[in-house]
Amino acid sequence: MDDHSKTTVKSPLYLVKSTEDCWKCGLEQQVIALATRHIRTADFDSLDAGDDEPAFLTNIKAMPQPIWEYLSAAFPQFQKRRSNTMDMDYYANTCECCKANFGDFYLFSEPEHAFFPMDEEQAKRMSVVELPFTGVFEFRCSCGMGTGGLIFEHATRE
């Protein structure tokens, strides 16, 4: 599921927190991601299903304004930035020290990085927070599944 088309998400929406070393300056810092269990894309539909496998929203090009306002106030290092590698603007974690873009591929698709734990111990270092939004929301993004179950089972709940 990787086409940046309209993605419909139904609450609850989750904020997943992890840490990552900046690839440029080496500073360890907090990084965030959005996840849901209820999602509809052109290729997949679990919007009205029960407790389905959590999916991460990645390479987010557009999101509802109230969610963006919440995230930007709580995590100012999460910014809409230009990725020359991807040739697009999207919401990304950035380094608070050197302002480098962490890159969603690096965080979500590289084993043992922020949102790709390989075992329970790595997942336990993360936390999951249910965001205070209810309803159905539209994003323009990709989504990924695979490690959400491990994270949701072992991460700390805030």
Side-chain angles (χ1 to χ4, degrees), residues 16-20 28 31 56 106-128 147-156:
V16 182
K17 299 177 187 177
S18 188
T19 59
E20 187 66 50
E28 181 183 70
V31 290
F56 280 104
Y106 178 71
L107 296 175
F108 292 93
S109 301
E110 292 288 329
E112 298 187 345
H113 284 276
F115 303 111
F116 197 149
M118 297 302 292
D119 58 35
E120 292 177 15
E121 289 306 311
Q122 289 175 352
K124 285 179 181 178
R125 292 192 293 256
M126 303 166 77
S127 64
V128 176
T147 60
L150 180 65
I151 294 167
F152 274 58
E153 183 177 342
H154 298 288
T156 303

Side-chain angles (χ1 to χ4, degrees), residues 63-83:
M63 73 173 76
Q65 190 66 26
I67 295 171
W68 166 240
E69 289 172 0
Y70 175 90
L71 293 175
S72 65
F75 303 96
Q77 71 279 11
F78 191 71
Q79 304 170 356
K80 193 159 193 182
R81 300 285 293 274
R82 179 81 183 159
S83 169

Side-chain angles (χ1 to χ4, degrees), residues 94-106:
T94 60
C95 179
E96 59 189 60
C97 177
C98 72
K99 309 303 182 211
N101 180 348
F102 277 87
D104 279 8
F105 182 84
Y106 178 71

Side-chain angles (χ1 to χ4, degrees), residues 18-59:
S18 188
T19 59
E20 187 66 50
D21 292 340
C22 176
W23 63 270
K24 189 172 182 181
C25 72
L27 177 69
E28 181 183 70
Q29 56 201 292
Q30 186 175 64
V31 290
I32 62 169
L34 294 175
T36 183
R37 293 182 184 271
H38 306 284
I39 191 165
R40 178 180 294 141
T41 69
D43 302 323
F44 183 79
D45 189 353
S46 71
L47 196 65
D48 297 317
D51 245 6
D52 209 18
E53 174 79 14
F56 280 104
L57 306 183
T58 63
N59 301 317

